[in-house]
Each structure stands twice: as structure tokens, then as C-alpha cells.
Amino acid sequence: MTGGGPASLGPKADRDSVRRQNLSLVLRAVHDEGEVTRAGVAARVGLTRAAVSSLVEQLLGGGFLTESGKTFSGQAGRPGTVLKVARTGPAGIGVEINVDYVTVSVVDLAGTDRVRLTEHRDHRGAPPEDVLGHAAAVAARAARSAAEQALRPVGVELALPGLVSVGTVRQAPNLGWTGVPAREVFGRAFAALEPGPGGQPLPVSAENEANAAALAELWFGGLGRVRDFLYLTGEIGVGGAVVLDGELLRGAHGFAGEIGHTVVDPRGPACRCGARGCLEQYAGQSALLRDAGLDGDAGATGVEELRRRAEAGDARAVGAIEEAGAVLGRVLSGAVNLLDPEAVVLGGIYRELTPWLAAGADRELAARVVSGLWPPEAGRLRASSLAGDAARGAASRVVRAVLADPLKYAEHATM
Amino acid sequence: MTGGGPASLGPKADRDSVRRQNLSLVLRAVHDEGEVTRAGVAARVGLTRAAVSSLVEQLLGGGFLTESGKTFSGQAGRPGTVLKVARTGPAGIGVEINVDYVTVSVVDLAGTDRVRLTEHRDHRGAPPEDVLGHAAAVAARAARSAAEQALRPVGVELALPGLVSVGTVRQAPNLGWTGVPAREVFGRAFAALEPGPGGQPLPVSAENEANAAALAELWFGGLGRVRDFLYLTGEIGVGGAVVLDGELLRGAHGFAGEIGHTVVDPRGPACRCGARGCLEQYAGQSALLRDAGLDGDAGATGVEELRRRAEAGDARAVGAIEEAGAVLGRVLSGAVNLLDPEAVVLGGIYRELTPWLAAGADRELAARVVSGLWPPEAGRLRASSLAGDAARGAASRVVRAVLADPLKYAEHATM
């Protein structure tokens, strides 16, 4: 019994919803193919040429697609113009706030990093409001650069080194944050600098930074067909993320992936999390630098110096990285035995240090992974590709939302 | 272009396949409800009364369902007879082969353990053929007991303490097995004793024992609405399984869940896996017994004695279990940080020792799980229910296959 409302509402709403989904289907087809004709899109999505043409017109009008006169060879039928996703228009802003830097990335619909700003600054001990306010200022500068490239940011995602739940940082030991409403605080500061189109502030979301980096690796990295992997990111802390069958493992409460607090030695040094002997105390940035005879607080320049020394064959530098690698290998062997992933990807500062880390870790993985599938020659432990990082991953999550429902992000209500 | 074949083949095949699926739908509805009228089934599965009646007749004829004259109150419409899954007919045989015992369970369609045989025997050092031949003999005895109860086993599943891949035990350190084709060897021995209906041997499959036990816990245990958990089973080794959203995590190669070889101390005692200081060397059955001053090889009677002493307040027994619990807690905190499950369930010998294990483990979990969600009062670390074990889980996997496609398991081709 549906009462006396307008009879056409249901079916009309259904038609609208189907068209909305089809707009996304077509946009994603062009996104995934890179360059494709209307006929190619029709073949891929299984809609008629006529339906695809109508959807394409709407997406061209909304600024989501562009076309060029270039004909596309190797395709049956008459040559068509080639469609691509727009290099202007909707974009996502990703903001990685880490312990000693902020990186902002603006990504366009094609997934390209169009603006990238990094500022180094030690956030330890600073009030969360200051850190988030500073990040908002960097993000606002990036938004203005994006606008100069005719990009139109439609949302911001924060990537934060801690447990994030519905916009709030529940726990970020290395920042010293507990219960910080990061989304709200950042959103207020950002809206004051960038009021948004028509005074409507951009939506802000928040994610764990290792999760965002793992997604960047999945989407843009060199993993090929690998869809099950563990991602580790070396920073002041050690972040982690688990990807199973191409999806992030979130866990029962959204806190999965926290490998940095795996115990290495229960009587080891105190960790900022309150426990003792966590992985971070052996393989985090400060521990690595100190063990190599450098200043533990030297930050990015210290890491650069460490890599230079290791490349030059400095025994202490090489020894420190290999020893951290062995610890990492022991912890990873436990995670590998538990999860049986296809690969482990090392990001953050580990990316540049992988040759020496692997020298220490591979032995442990070969000896301790019971399946015997992790000998060094299998190459399952690998450096993340340069493309993968948390800010880009966070920005790309915003872009993925556009691809999933372009109509929601159209500039003009009349698209 | 579909050529000149019989035009009705496609649609006929489609109709057959739909009916096949609907038979399963109805059988599972009765299984899940326990007792239900035809009208109740129709309401649940969304088919017409007439369609349900026809499907029910076929399932009654095939011996999958029974009905009683009992009317079912609290249901609208005229009282109907009550349907239940049959307590005779199709059944599954589960065979857990562990390091010092074999347990066979025969489970009926309702999931009830109808036959259970356990034989204690040390399998270490015995040739795999002997162990599997002995297990086949116990399974054959169980099959005969089942037949006396008018049960008709339709398949056997082995549950084995190691890495199992397509019927082969790739690695079972505590049995000393490597590359043992367990399914084939067991199948041959079992077929010689139980030729099967019409001389057609029963199909045999193989699964990791902790996986089978975790499924038993999921299906029959006291987990309530928990669908994400880590399952640990204490035996000579320590087995593990990960259940995410009600499904077993298998991993990229089928070897996920192996928590027993997590490193506790890289300079610790040698483990049968070839590495040093694995969890099993601290919290496996032999280590527990030895640390309590008992004979490490005393098996089930030793564990019983350990529990008795702990209950009597024997300081050494309590201390040994609590210390093993602390080690377990440290390892578990790493797994919990990585997976963020709702609960950890302790099975095998840990089930009876949980009060003392938890005393040691809870402190570590509270201190080391960064989400702060694991204080002792949260009760997330718990003993498995008595119902849960590997043989029953394995037998139930056979039964689930029957529920998924009853027609395939019908006794008469004419059902």
C-alpha cells in the first residue's frame, strides 16, 4: 500500500538513480582506459552506443571528460574522437600530517599529482590546534595553486599517523594526541582561509596515514597483479596497513594495521604508546639515526645523510640499517605467518633504505615464514614505488568519490 | 550463433539450476530455523507457498527433511505440520589428526555430533602412512557407528596441524611431515575399509585443523554476534585461524593463521620449524607441562594433571600457566594491533586453562593494544565453547556442502 503520493515518483527516482550509476560507469571506464572512443566505452560497459553518447555528453558538459579529434586505431567501425578524463575541474586534496612534516597533494581526476607541497616542522609537543592550523594554511596554498591550473577541489582528506575514527584521532602516540577532533579543527581553519564555492566549505574527512599510503601503492604503485599485501611506512613511528584482495582491512573497530607496536623485547626501551620494547623503538626513524651515530632528531636531512653514508659503505650506517632490518624481518615474519600476503611493501623512509633493510630482513623471513615461500629470491619484500604516499592516497580517495558519483560533484546543478 | 542443438537445452538447464538452488534455499531455511512450517519457510525465502510445498516434497523424499504432526503456534494461518532437517540420512565425517591423538566426529544435517571417537597415540616420528592408516581405521569405525544410527556419510574432511594445500600437507613441523599427500593416502586406506555406496569411495578433503576448529566455534560456539575473531588452539603446537566478517582468512596461498611460529625471543630454544624462540616453545603443551614440573610428553593426562594442580592453587602450576599466558598476551597484542578483531578465542588445551592464561595475558593486552579496547573487563579474550573443535568443524564443512546443493547428495538419482 503506497498511499496517494505522485505515482511517477518511484519510477522517476529509479530512472534517475540508474542514470546516475551509468554516469559513474562511463566515467570510470574512461578513467581506467586512459583514452577510449565512445564505441570502446559502449563495448566495455555493455550499454548501447546511443545511451553511452548521451551519458558522455552530460559528462563533457559537466567538465568531467574532454575529447580530442585524434582517431583511435585498432578499433573496428568508423574512427571516433578520443575521450579522456578532464585535466581541469574536480580534484581532491590530501593532507598528510606526520610527526615532522606536512605534505599536501592535489590530485586530478586522472590520478595525477598536480600540486605537491611539503613543509618540515617538528610537531611533537605542539598543540594540535597549531599543527592542524598550519596544515590548513599549507592546504589552502595548495588549493590556490590548483585553482591556477583550473582545478576545482571538491574535498579534503587528512592522513594522520594514529588511530582515526569518524574524523577524530583517538590515539597518535608520536604526536602525543589523544581524542583530537582533527576533522573539525582542520575544517574550521581551512574554511577561514578558503571559504569554498559560494561560501560552502569543502567536506573534510580523515584516515590513517599508512592506510592512505597503502591505497596509493595499490592504485599507482608497481605492484602489478598483487592484491594482498602488507604495507609498512617508516616515519618517526612505524605505520602499517593490510590490503586483502584489493581492499583495506579495517578491523572490527577501524584500527587494523598497527604493526609499529609489535613487541620486540618486553624489557626494551619505553615507547610513547606506554608499553616497552615496541618495533618503533628499534626501527623507527630516531632509533635508526641514533644507531648509525647520527642525531635521532635530525629528521629528513638525517635520513638523507644516513642513506648517503650507507651508499658510501659506512660500516656503522650499514650495520644500523641491517640490524633494524633484522628486527623488522622478525616482526614481519609473524605478520606474514598470520596473514599470508603476496608481498610486503616498505614505504616512508624505508623506501630509500630498502637495499640494506632487506639484507637484514630477508634472512629472518626465509628462516621464519613456515610456508617457505619467502626466500630472498622470491622478491616479496620490496620498496614502495616513488608514486605511493599518504597525501596522494588521501587525495585520490576524494577523487574516487567523484568517480563513484559524478553528478554529486557537478559544478552546475543543471549538468 | 548457438548452432543447431536442441533449443530447449538452455532454458531447461536454467530451470534445473534454479530449482537446484531453491532446494538448497529451503533446506537451509529449515536448518537455520530448527523447526518451521511450510508457510514459515515461504515467508523466509520469498517463494510462493506452492513452490515451497513442491520443493519440500522433494526434500522429504530425498531424506533431507522430516515432518511431525506438531502444530506450530504463534504463526498466522491454519496450523501446519512442522518441518525439521532429518536426523538420519546424509552426514559428514571429520577427522582431526593431531600430534598425540586422532578425533573423529560424525555430524548430521542439523550440526549435531552424533558419533565421536578419540584415540590418544603419539604420532611424532611415525611414518605418515601409518598415522593416516590408523586415522582411516578410526574413521571407518565411526562410519559404522553412524550407519547403525541410520546416518549416511557423504564425505570425509581431514583436519591437520600444518599447512595444507589441495589435499597435501606442505609442512607440519610437529608431525615432522613435509609434502605428504594426506588426502590420497588416507582416501586409499579408508576406501579399503569402507568401500562406499556401490563401491564408490567417499570424497576426501583436507583442511588446517585450527581453521576447522575456528569454523566450529563460529557455527556452534558461544560467540553471539562476533564475526571477527582470532582463534588459537593449544596443542603440542599452537595453531591459529583468522575469521573476518564470518569468513576464514585464507591468505594469498591458503596458509594464513600460523601464529604458533611468531618469534618470542630470537635466541630462544630451537623450534621444530627450524627457527628459534617461536611461541610454541613457550606456550605449547610440552613447554607448559615442563615449566609446571610435569613430564613434557605426558599428553592429555599431563594436561589434566596440570589443570588439577592449578585449581588446587599449586604455585608452580599457576605460575607456569600465567607465564605462558603473558607470552601469549604479548604475541596476541601484536596480532590484535594488526587485525583489530572483536575477540580472541582460546581452544584446544587452552580452553581448560583459560582462567590462568588470561591472568597473564590480559595485562599484556591492556598495556600493548594501542586502541585501548582490550582491558580485562572487556572480556575479549575468552575460552572456546565446549562445542568447538576441529573434527566437528571439518565434519560440518562436509554437511555445509550438502546444504548448499542437496540434489548432489541425494541417495537415489530419482529424488
Side-chain angles (χ1 to χ4, degrees):
Chain A
M1 310 298 276
T2 52
S8 65
L9 187 67
K12 166 82 166 64
D14 283 355
R15 276 201 312 277
D16 285 355
S17 138
V18 167
R19 184 164 182 96
R20 214 168 170 135
Q21 286 169 38
N22 285 341
L23 283 168
S24 166
L25 206 61
V26 168
L27 180 56
R28 281 180 288 136
V30 179
H31 173 270
D32 294 352
E33 296 283 341
E35 297 199 340
V36 63
T37 61
R38 287 170 175 76
V41 171
R44 186 181 154 123
V45 303
L47 292 169
T48 65
R49 256 313 282 275
V52 166
S53 285
S54 158
L55 293 160
V56 163
E57 289 318 306
Q58 193 172 353
L59 290 166
L60 286 165
F64 296 96
L65 294 180
T66 57
E67 64 185 331
S68 73
K70 190 173 150 193
T71 57
F72 198 73
S73 59
Q75 189 101 27
R78 72 176 174 82
T81 56
V82 169
L83 300 166
K84 296 194 234 181
V85 293
R87 295 304 177 122
T88 56
I93 301 181
V95 181
E96 179 188 0
I97 300 174
N98 222 311
V99 181
D100 55 357
Y101 64 87
V102 170
T103 295
V104 177
S105 161
V106 183
V107 166
D108 65 19
L109 279 185
T112 309
D113 224 354
R114 297 284 293 278
V115 178
R116 169 173 290 259
L117 299 175
T118 294
E119 294 210 358
H120 291 279
R121 221 172 87 144
D122 197 332
H123 294 141
R124 284 170 287 194
E129 293 68 28
D130 289 3
V131 174
L132 290 160
H134 171 66
V138 181
R141 267 199 286 131
R144 285 191 292 275
S145 289
E148 283 161 17
Q149 297 183 57
L151 288 165
R152 176 170 58 85
V154 299
V156 183
E157 179 153 291
L158 308 179
L160 296 154
L163 304 179
V164 180
S165 177
V166 208
T168 293
V169 177
R170 193 183 167 107
Q171 195 70 254
N174 288 304
L175 285 170
W177 292 10
T178 309
V180 173
R183 183 173 64 181
E184 192 191 320
V185 173
F186 176 96
R188 214 165 27 222
F190 185 75
L193 297 164
E194 283 285 310
Q200 194 65 25
L202 293 188
V204 178
S205 55
E207 174 63 278
N208 169 274
E209 59 101 11
N211 280 354
L215 289 175
E217 189 65 24
L218 176 70
W219 292 331
F220 309 114
L223 283 170
R225 277 188 290 187
V226 169
R227 310 254 302 159
D228 292 81
F229 64 97
L230 180 60
Y231 186 91
L232 252 75
T233 168
E235 317 284 350
I236 299 289
V238 178
V242 178
V243 175
L244 299 175
D245 197 21
E247 299 280 343
L248 267 182
L249 173 70
R250 296 206 168 267
H253 318 92
F255 303 142
E258 289 295 325
I259 202 168
H261 300 281
T262 307
V263 60
V264 171
D265 179 352
R267 289 167 303 279
C271 181
R272 280 173 198 267
C273 76
R276 288 199 159 269
C278 299
L279 175 61
E280 295 190 355
Q281 300 306 315
Y282 300 85
Q285 179 174 309
S286 303
L288 257 171
L289 292 176
R290 270 198 315 269
D291 292 350
L294 292 159
D295 173 8
D297 290 325
T301 53
V303 174
E304 183 48 31
E305 175 62 20
L306 175 62
R307 190 184 61 75
R308 242 193 320 263
R309 289 190 188 180
E311 264 173 0
D314 177 289
R316 187 158 179 200
V318 169
I321 311 175
E322 286 191 359
E323 183 45 42
V327 172
L328 212 52
R330 288 197 287 273
V331 167
L332 283 174
S333 65
V336 167
N337 281 327
L338 194 61
L339 297 170
D340 184 22
E342 194 64 48
V344 170
V345 180
L346 300 179
I349 67 164
Y350 293 160
R351 195 160 62 190
E352 304 261 347
L353 305 176
T354 295
W356 304 280
L357 287 171
D362 275 338
R363 250 194 314 269
E364 297 286 340
L365 286 163
R368 295 189 173 277
V369 174
V370 284
S371 68
L373 293 173
W374 286 69
E377 62 272 21
R380 295 187 191 277
L381 180 69
R382 53 179 86 179
S384 82
S385 65
L386 287 169
D389 72 297
R392 189 177 179 197
S396 300
R397 294 223 321 142
V398 174
V399 167
R400 298 260 153 174
V402 177
L403 297 176
D405 187 6
L407 206 53
K408 185 171 166 193
Y409 296 92
E411 193 167 9
H412 314 292
T414 53
M415 167 185 148
Chain B
M1 308 299 276
T2 52
S8 64
L9 187 67
K12 166 82 166 64
D14 283 355
R15 275 202 312 276
D16 284 356
S17 137
V18 167
R19 186 165 181 95
R20 214 167 170 134
Q21 287 169 38
N22 285 340
L23 283 168
S24 166
L25 206 61
V26 168
L27 179 56
R28 281 180 288 136
V30 179
H31 173 271
D32 294 352
E33 295 284 340
E35 299 198 338
V36 63
T37 62
R38 286 169 174 77
V41 172
R44 187 180 154 123
V45 303
L47 293 169
T48 65
R49 255 315 279 277
V52 166
S53 286
S54 158
L55 294 161
V56 163
E57 288 318 307
Q58 193 173 351
L59 290 166
L60 285 166
F64 296 97
L65 293 180
T66 57
E67 63 184 333
S68 73
K70 192 171 151 195
T71 57
F72 198 73
S73 58
Q75 189 100 28
R78 71 175 174 83
T81 56
V82 169
L83 300 167
K84 296 194 236 181
V85 293
R87 294 305 175 122
T88 56
I93 300 181
V95 181
E96 180 189 358
I97 300 174
N98 223 311
V99 181
D100 56 357
Y101 64 87
V102 170
T103 295
V104 178
S105 160
V106 183
V107 166
D108 66 19
L109 280 185
T112 309
D113 224 354
R114 295 285 292 279
V115 179
R116 169 173 290 260
L117 300 174
T118 295
E119 293 209 359
H120 291 280
R121 221 172 86 144
D122 197 332
H123 294 142
R124 283 170 289 192
E129 293 70 26
D130 289 3
V131 174
L132 290 161
H134 171 67
V138 181
R141 268 198 285 131
R144 286 191 291 275
S145 289
E148 284 162 15
Q149 296 183 58
L151 289 166
R152 176 169 59 84
V154 298
V156 183
E157 180 152 289
L158 308 179
L160 296 154
L163 304 179
V164 180
S165 177
V166 209
T168 294
V169 178
R170 192 182 168 106
Q171 194 70 254
N174 288 305
L175 286 170
W177 293 9
T178 308
V180 173
R183 183 173 66 182
E184 192 191 320
V185 174
F186 176 95
R188 215 165 26 220
F190 185 74
L193 297 165
E194 284 284 310
Q200 194 65 25
L202 293 187
V204 178
S205 55
E207 174 63 278
N208 170 274
E209 59 102 11
N211 280 354
L215 289 174
E217 188 65 24
L218 176 70
W219 292 330
F220 309 114
L223 284 170
R225 278 189 289 188
V226 170
R227 311 252 304 159
D228 293 81
F229 64 98
L230 179 60
Y231 186 90
L232 253 75
T233 168
E235 318 283 351
I236 299 289
V238 178
V242 178
V243 175
L244 299 176
D245 198 21
E247 299 280 343
L248 267 182
L249 173 70
R250 296 205 168 268
H253 317 92
F255 304 142
E258 290 294 324
I259 202 168
H261 300 282
T262 307
V263 61
V264 171
D265 179 351
R267 288 166 303 279
C271 182
R272 282 174 196 266
C273 76
R276 287 198 159 272
C278 299
L279 175 62
E280 295 191 355
Q281 301 306 315
Y282 300 86
Q285 180 175 308
S286 303
L288 258 171
L289 293 176
R290 268 197 316 270
D291 292 349
L294 291 159
D295 173 7
D297 290 325
T301 53
V303 174
E304 183 48 33
E305 175 62 20
L306 175 63
R307 191 184 59 77
R308 239 190 326 258
R309 290 190 189 180
E311 263 174 0
D314 176 289
R316 188 157 179 200
V318 169
I321 311 175
E322 286 190 1
E323 184 45 44
V327 172
L328 212 52
R330 288 197 286 274
V331 167
L332 283 174
S333 65
V336 166
N337 280 328
L338 195 60
L339 298 169
D340 184 22
E342 195 64 48
V344 170
V345 180
L346 299 179
I349 67 164
Y350 293 160
R351 195 160 61 190
E352 304 261 348
L353 305 177
T354 296
W356 304 281
L357 287 170
D362 274 338
R363 252 194 312 268
E364 297 287 340
L365 286 163
R368 294 189 174 277
V369 174
V370 283
S371 68
L373 293 172
W374 286 69
E377 62 274 19
R380 295 187 190 275
L381 180 69
R382 51 179 88 179
S384 81
S385 67
L386 287 170
D389 71 297
R392 188 177 180 197
S396 301
R397 294 224 319 144
V398 175
V399 166
R400 298 261 153 174
V402 177
L403 297 176
D405 187 6
L407 206 54
K408 185 172 165 191
Y409 295 92
E411 193 168 9
H412 314 291
T414 53
M415 167 187 147

